[in-house]
Amino acid sequence: MTDTMDANAVLKQKHRAMWALGNYPELATDIIADLGPRLVAAANVKSGDRVLDVAAGAGNAAIPAAMRGADVIASDLTPELLEVGKREAQMHGVTLDWQTADAEALPFDTASFDVTMSCVGVMFAPHHQATADELLRVTRPGGTIAVLNWTPQGFVGQMFATMKPYAAPPAPGAQPPPLWGDEAHVRELFGDAVRDVTARLDTVRISHFGSPEEFRDYFKSHYGPTIACYRNIGDDPERVAALDAELVALGERFAAASTDSGDAGSGTGFEMGWEYLLVTATRA
């Protein structure tokens, strides 16, 4: 038991350190700022609601919820992200409670929130059932659980698939993050503890980058999982070059797919459509 606890503590410390790499808050603002408000709207957050944002990062969903008048706790495993969120909240003139917390062992009372949500956050906790159980536990009966996650077949899911051969092996028992973007998987995690489940696939259009190479270099400097992957192969120039090329090819493939489907607007420049799954449910 002690060895298992020690291994889990080491795993969580690695996750915490990984998300402190680069500049995820800037990435969330530059690229996916729309997602937080979309999740908050889908969860129907109202003034006076008690809301918990799990794996909140710098608050890209928590802050919009607070701007609706909700009483919000933003929790995350990485305190460096929360510190950025505090400054961002001050700029918007809202007050939130920022707490360092593990999504798999939340330090909150049972049935204490009207809305429990996560925007591309809980998907990165390694043990999916433990995380889902905690989301269920802290949500009051009749309350709302709302999660927005990248899909396995979408751009971010395919980016993780591209990086997997170059990354350090996952910890025993850890599950792939993009599984949270599979409706059947999420329904199985929540089981009969929820009712009135809705699941919607959608895309967010990404037009921040001028080329696939610019996308790759931005993620190499900003996104913790990508930085960690490159560090893992840093002493092998051939593998670094191979991953460089594969990420550029991925960007080209999804730009072409976006153009073909009409998601790229005018079709000028470099744009991509990134697919996500948004699930809302009522705690039974």
Side-chain angles (χ1 to χ4, degrees):
M1 176 65 73
T2 300
D3 289 345
T4 300
M5 292 174 61
D6 289 346
N8 193 54
V10 170
L11 174 61
K12 296 307 172 67
Q13 184 57 42
K14 287 182 178 179
H15 273 244
R16 173 178 171 174
M18 179 183 70
W19 288 105
L21 296 172
N23 193 339
Y24 182 76
E26 183 172 280
L27 183 154
T29 299
D30 285 349
I31 301 175
I32 56 171
D34 290 348
L35 294 187
R38 293 185 193 186
L39 178 63
V40 169
N44 193 29
V45 172
K46 302 179 295 297
S47 179
D49 280 347
R50 183 163 168 76
V51 176
L52 175 64
D53 187 1
V54 184
N60 63 320
I63 292 173
M67 293 173 68
R68 288 189 169 210
D71 178 12
V72 182
I73 295 177
S75 67
D76 198 277
L77 187 66
T78 304
E80 291 89 343
L81 301 180
L82 299 178
E83 288 302 316
V84 177
K86 290 178 185 179
R87 297 193 292 271
E88 187 71 17
Q90 289 176 348
M91 292 173 56
H92 285 87
V94 292
T95 300
L96 293 78
D97 184 1
W98 302 86
Q99 296 193 30
T100 303
D102 179 358
E104 297 178 3
L106 294 169
F108 307 114
D109 291 339
T110 297
S112 55
F113 295 96
D114 301 302
V115 178
T116 304
M117 63 182 186
S118 184
C119 185
V120 293
V122 294
M123 65 182 292
F124 295 104
H127 306 108
H128 294 188
Q129 191 61 62
T131 302
D133 289 347
E134 283 295 271
L135 298 180
L136 292 165
R137 182 184 65 80
V138 301
T139 308
R140 67 166 177 81
T144 298
I145 297 173
V147 289
L148 187 157
N149 297 301
W150 303 119
T151 65
Q153 67 275 10
F155 177 81
V156 177
Q158 289 300 297
M159 182 177 71
F160 274 92
T162 298
M163 294 192 300
K164 183 178 180 180
Y166 303 93
Q175 294 175 278
L179 276 179
W180 270 95
D182 178 82
E183 180 182 345
H185 182 68
V186 178
R187 285 181 178 271
E188 182 178 1
L189 291 174
F190 291 146
D192 59 6
V194 297
R195 55 180 172 81
D196 303 328
V197 178
T198 65
R200 186 182 82 236
L201 287 173
D202 206 342
T203 59
V204 58
R205 192 170 71 186
I206 307 299
S207 57
H208 182 77
F209 307 110
S211 67
E213 290 80 7
E214 187 178 332
F215 140 72
R216 176 200 63 202
D217 294 343
Y218 184 97
F219 269 68
K220 286 174 69 172
S221 65
H222 282 69
Y223 194 53
T226 306
I227 296 169
C229 186
Y230 273 96
R231 287 187 177 184
N232 186 59
I233 58 173
D235 59 353
D236 189 337
E238 289 187 1
R239 296 190 76 199
V240 169
L243 180 55
D244 277 347
E246 288 195 40
L247 288 176
V248 167
L250 178 72
E252 291 173 341
R253 175 159 63 91
F254 273 83
S258 296
T259 302
D260 292 344
S261 66
D263 288 341
S266 65
T268 61
F270 175 68
E271 295 186 344
M272 295 180 282
W274 293 7
E275 185 181 69
Y276 62 84
L277 176 73
L278 200 165
V279 176
T280 61
T282 301
R283 180 69 167 97

